[in-house]
Amino acid sequence: MCVVCGCSDTGARVDAAPARAGTDRQQDVHFGLGEARVSVPGMSQTRAIQIERNVLSANNSVAAANRARFAAHGVAAFNLVSSPGSGKTTLLCATLQALRQRRPGWPVAVIEGDQQTSHDADRIRATGAPAIQINTGKGCHLDAPMVAEAFDRLHDHFHHHHHHDHGHAHGDEHAHDQAGGLLFIENVGNLVCPALWDLGEAAKVAILSVTEGEDKPLKYPDMFAAARLMLLNKIDLLPHLSFDVARCVDMARRVNPGIEIIQVSATTGQGLDDWLHWIEHQAGGSHGHGHHAHPADTPEAVDDTDALKRRIRELESELARARSLAAP
């Protein structure tokens, strides 16, 4: 259920009359000018804001628990976001293969998000990395409770490596640097909804392929504003396209002046070293090394997380009821 765009089919009838919108001199229609910055048929801006805040607040509580749990295991988590067809999975497979050669002892796992099928998770598993597929059904993004449940299934992978590495870290600086591991979360292909949903990640990484058009950052500003890094992908195709790299970089930095940008190609390997170096740098600062306690795995923390998951489901049901009552 996406509280932001209301794209979930709840079965409720909605008001067919258009919501109030602004227009400009060209008579283009703008539905994002209200306080909520979104139009939900039959629902006031105030109500939309209230429901969005409630749902996101509950999600963010689970995200905070995820973040604490990742830190307890020394895991650096990265949320990979893009439109469909950007080459996320191909780039991720190339990344996993390169990491295995560069850091053979570093545990890496993947959570895959799609509406249906396990195709992408199967591709990841073929590289030798463990992967859990999350199918969201009609949902257009991953949320923190989904990631929490998937990480439960990856727990043994990181738990084993964590204790093994910690036992050798005191006498081996390299082993100490590699304590913990990496978790890549490949979100559902969507440049809108995943922007606002915190999963507990260390950073969002936006992948934009050169086949998409250089104006994507201005068309979907929330996503690029939320990202710490933009990977400009498929640059091996540049000789065959009219894509303006400098213009794309300028547009991304208009939205997010601090965004980092790396040009990559999974096909030729160009830029992969820079991407891997960025991962290593981020992972080095994403967690401490006092990993004796695992507070996020205590029975009390698990109970709290389950309660928050239930609360999110309740709030989503409330949204469905509100939309149904608003129907004529």
Side-chain angles (χ1 to χ4, degrees):
M1 164 61 97
C2 181
V3 71
V4 179
C5 74
C7 62
S8 175
D9 181 3
T10 64
R13 292 186 305 134
V14 297
D15 189 352
R20 295 177 62 184
T23 58
D24 57 23
R25 286 181 296 177
Q26 286 77 35
Q27 296 301 304
D28 296 333
V29 183
H30 304 278
F31 282 91
L33 299 180
E35 188 179 359
R37 295 181 59 220
V38 66
S39 173
V40 180
M43 184 179 295
S44 71
Q45 292 286 286
T46 300
R47 182 62 174 151
I49 291 170
Q50 178 186 2
I51 293 176
E52 179 178 311
R53 285 176 176 170
N54 288 344
V55 174
L56 291 179
S57 176
N59 176 82
N60 291 345
S61 296
V62 180
N66 287 348
R67 189 167 284 111
R69 192 176 185 194
F70 298 156
H73 288 281
V75 172
F78 301 105
N79 183 2
L80 307 184
V81 292
S82 78
S83 60
S86 68
K88 280 197 309 298
T89 308
T90 299
L91 179 60
L92 184 51
C93 288
T95 300
L96 295 171
Q97 292 162 349
L99 279 169
R100 181 175 293 109
Q101 295 180 357
R102 186 179 180 114
R103 293 286 194 95
W106 215 2
V108 181
V110 176
I111 294 173
E112 278 289 341
D114 278 304
Q115 288 190 314
Q116 297 293 344
T117 82
S118 63
H119 292 172
D120 286 352
D122 293 340
R123 292 175 62 189
I124 297 298
R125 293 175 188 131
T127 71
I132 298 295
Q133 178 73 50
I134 296 175
N135 283 333
T136 63
K138 292 184 178 180
C140 54
H141 63 275
L142 297 178
D143 61 32
M146 293 176 185
V147 169
E149 187 163 339
F151 189 72
D152 287 342
R153 289 159 170 73
L154 293 169
H155 176 273
D156 290 343
H157 173 70
F158 288 112
H159 188 74
H160 168 76
H161 281 281
H162 168 76
H163 285 285
H164 177 76
D165 290 343
H166 187 76
H168 294 84
H170 296 292
D172 187 337
E173 183 177 354
H174 182 65
H176 188 271
D177 288 342
Q178 292 195 159
L182 295 175
L183 175 64
F184 293 102
I185 305 167
E186 184 177 346
N187 218 313
V188 178
N190 183 349
L191 279 176
V192 183
C193 308
L196 292 183
W197 293 83
D198 184 8
L199 306 180
E201 70 270 15
K204 282 185 175 68
V205 177
I207 294 96
L208 172 64
S209 73
V210 297
T211 56
E212 296 179 69
E214 61 265 10
D215 57 353
K216 277 289 179 72
L218 291 187
K219 288 182 175 180
Y220 303 94
D222 289 344
M223 182 61 78
F224 291 90
R228 186 176 302 172
L229 172 70
M230 181 177 82
L231 292 175
L232 190 56
N233 196 24
K234 303 185 184 181
I235 58 171
D236 55 293
L237 297 179
L238 282 173
H240 310 288
L241 302 169
S242 59
F243 188 92
D244 188 331
V245 172
R247 183 168 180 257
C248 180
V249 169
D250 175 67
M251 289 184 172
R253 289 193 167 137
R254 281 195 229 171
V255 172
N256 182 352
I259 196 169
E260 300 176 68
I261 299 170
I262 298 174
Q263 299 180 40
V264 294
S265 167
T267 300
T268 67
Q270 186 176 348
L272 278 184
D273 280 345
D274 291 337
W275 164 224
L276 297 183
H277 178 74
W278 186 92
I279 292 169
E280 290 168 338
H281 178 73
Q282 297 296 319
S286 68
H287 56 81
H289 298 285
H291 305 313
H292 295 290
H294 290 239
D297 286 338
T298 64
E300 295 81 2
V302 171
D303 288 343
D304 288 345
T305 299
D306 288 342
L308 286 164
K309 290 179 182 178
R310 289 193 296 273
R311 180 58 177 152
I312 286 179
R313 289 194 292 269
E314 291 169 0
L315 289 165
E316 289 175 342
S317 297
E318 182 182 348
L319 174 62
R321 287 195 300 272
R323 293 176 66 188
S324 179
L325 291 173

